[in-house]
Amino acid sequence: LLRVLALATLLSPGLACPAPCSCSTKKNGRLLAECAYRELRDVPPGLSPNVTILTLSANRLGRLGRSSLAEAPELQSLWLGYNHISAVEPGALAHLLHLKNLDLSHNRLADFPWQELSGLGALQILKLSNNRLSWLPRGALAGLRELRSLWLNDNQLATLARGTFEPLPALAQLQLFHNPFNCSCKLFWLKEWARSTSASLSGAGSTLCAAPARLRGRPVTEMPGSLCVAPSAQLTYLSSPARAGDGLTLSLHCSVAGSPPPEIRWQIRTAAGRRVDLQGPAAAQAGRRRFLAFKNGTVAIPDFGKEDEGTYTCLAVNEVGTREVSLEVALAGSEGPAEELPRDDPQAGQGCAQRDQPDPSSALGEKLVIVYHVPREARSGAGGRELRPGILPLALGLLL
């Protein structure tokens, strides 16, 4: 009877084992399928549906097909290191919802189905070292809140998107060494992140810049801060009095600073519902209106009228970040002297150029109200487009 029971146990589905492998039950009740060093070219069929640990290291697997692991949905540890795997098909890992350890190191992966990681919320260890990965999509690691150890060393990574590791609150160990990093300002965030994180950047002294030439061989964590400065921006305005036959021209100038030199973009949203975006020296037409942007950071609105009131935003953009500053521009008429108008800002009348540089951390959305002193006989209900010669512009306020 004991012999029959023993035989029945060996043949039970819980211990089904592929011929090339050896299977056993661990003390913690997990079922191990040991298939390493077997010269296998594919995942062997016949795995028990209850297997929790599968070792396929040091074989000759060339790819991981969509259905390669369909028989083992309860896997918690999957060891595939030291194979010839050049492709992991989409869907090959998606059903392994209990997976905690995944080792694909020392293979030939140039790409990876990153989108599938979002469903592997139990993952704690991910080894992708010693492959041919050249990029990591933005948000590739989102959802891996239990991930403690990430190995990306010995790949072909030249840069990493800002915030790549921020979705990993449990991260304790990160390996990035032996990648050909281009230490442009796009990667400067990594230095700041490494300084602030509690995670250990293993081999930090070997995480080196490969480019540009002046930084080659220098640790990424020692990139000079002076080379990468976030943009700052300041808006000033200039309006020309109307002349006979001409309308008013309003010019807004955006002064920027930063390293590398920021690119200037304009976003214009008028109260009349027009939306205009300008990048670099350009001209845009909105209806019958023209908006002109110049290389020096000035935007001009010829024949400025009531329909051009709205929000004018300058964006300064470089590889370190973005700074934007906005002005609300309004046009109004006045019967009385301008001095009698309410002044909400103690610096009213001094102009934007005389204000201190805004703190980049402060709230944006400054307001510039331009009030035109219009003699009683020159007033018109049609607004600024009927202003006559002699109208005097006055900056009433800059309000935070």
Side-chain angles (χ1 to χ4, degrees), residues 110-112 114-115 132-138 140 152 155-161 179:
D111 200 4
F112 185 78
W114 300 103
Q115 67 279 3
R132 302 171 183 176
L133 299 171
S134 59
W135 72 301
L136 196 66
R138 187 182 299 275
L152 291 169
N155 276 285
Q156 298 298 317
L157 299 170
T159 192
L160 293 165
N179 277 288

Side-chain angles (χ1 to χ4, degrees), residues 239-249 303 385-391:
S239 55
S240 64
R243 297 176 298 177
D246 295 329
L248 172 79
T249 295
D303 199 21
R385 297 202 58 181
E386 294 190 23
L387 294 176
R388 300 176 183 176
I391 298 171

Side-chain angles (χ1 to χ4, degrees), residues 11-168:
L11 296 177
S12 65
L15 285 177
C17 192
C21 309
S22 61
C23 301
S24 61
T25 303
K26 310 298 285 184
K27 289 183 179 180
N28 56 12
R30 294 180 181 179
L31 181 60
L32 167 66
E34 175 60 69
C35 308
Y37 297 96
R38 302 295 203 277
E39 299 292 320
L40 298 174
R41 296 183 180 273
D42 297 291
V43 177
L47 287 169
S48 166
N50 297 326
V51 68
T52 53
I53 305 172
L54 175 58
T55 301
L56 283 162
S57 304
N59 280 291
R60 295 189 177 186
L61 278 66
R63 65 189 300 107
L64 202 60
R66 181 186 298 272
S67 59
S68 296
L69 300 166
E71 295 179 323
E74 300 298 320
L75 277 178
Q76 297 182 20
S77 296
L78 177 59
W79 309 110
L80 291 161
Y82 293 92
N83 276 282
H84 304 160
I85 299 173
S86 60
V88 177
E89 293 184 0
L93 304 172
H95 66 291
L96 303 179
L97 304 182
H98 307 288
L99 197 62
K100 295 182 179 180
N101 308 306
L102 175 59
D103 181 7
L104 277 160
S105 63
H106 294 272
N107 277 287
R108 302 174 182 178
L109 291 170
D111 200 4
F112 185 78
W114 300 103
Q115 67 279 3
E116 296 193 8
L117 292 180
S118 61
L120 305 182
L123 202 61
Q124 297 179 9
I125 297 175
L126 176 59
K127 295 184 178 182
L128 289 167
S129 53
N130 293 88
N131 276 284
R132 302 171 183 176
L133 299 171
S134 59
W135 72 301
L136 196 66
R138 187 182 299 275
L141 304 175
L144 300 182
R145 299 190 62 81
E146 300 298 322
L147 193 69
R148 295 185 288 106
S149 182
L150 175 61
W151 296 23
L152 291 169
N153 55 284
D154 293 275
N155 276 285
Q156 298 298 317
L157 299 170
T159 192
L160 293 165
R162 177 184 292 273
T164 294
F165 308 118
E166 289 180 1
L168 308 176

Side-chain angles (χ1 to χ4, degrees), residues 332-348:
S334 170
E335 286 188 16
E339 299 89 317
E340 297 180 4
L341 294 172
R343 299 187 179 214
D344 295 324
D345 188 277
Q347 295 186 358

Side-chain angles (χ1 to χ4, degrees), residues 248 269-274 289 301-310 312 329-333 369-370 372 379-387:
L248 172 79
R269 304 293 183 262
T270 71
R274 287 193 297 269
R289 315 295 289 171
I301 306 94
D303 199 21
F304 185 87
K306 291 287 287 184
E307 63 270 35
D308 302 313
E309 293 181 338
Y312 289 72
V329 181
L331 180 66
V369 181
I370 302 176
Y372 291 89
R379 297 191 64 196
S380 168
R385 297 202 58 181
E386 294 190 23
L387 294 176

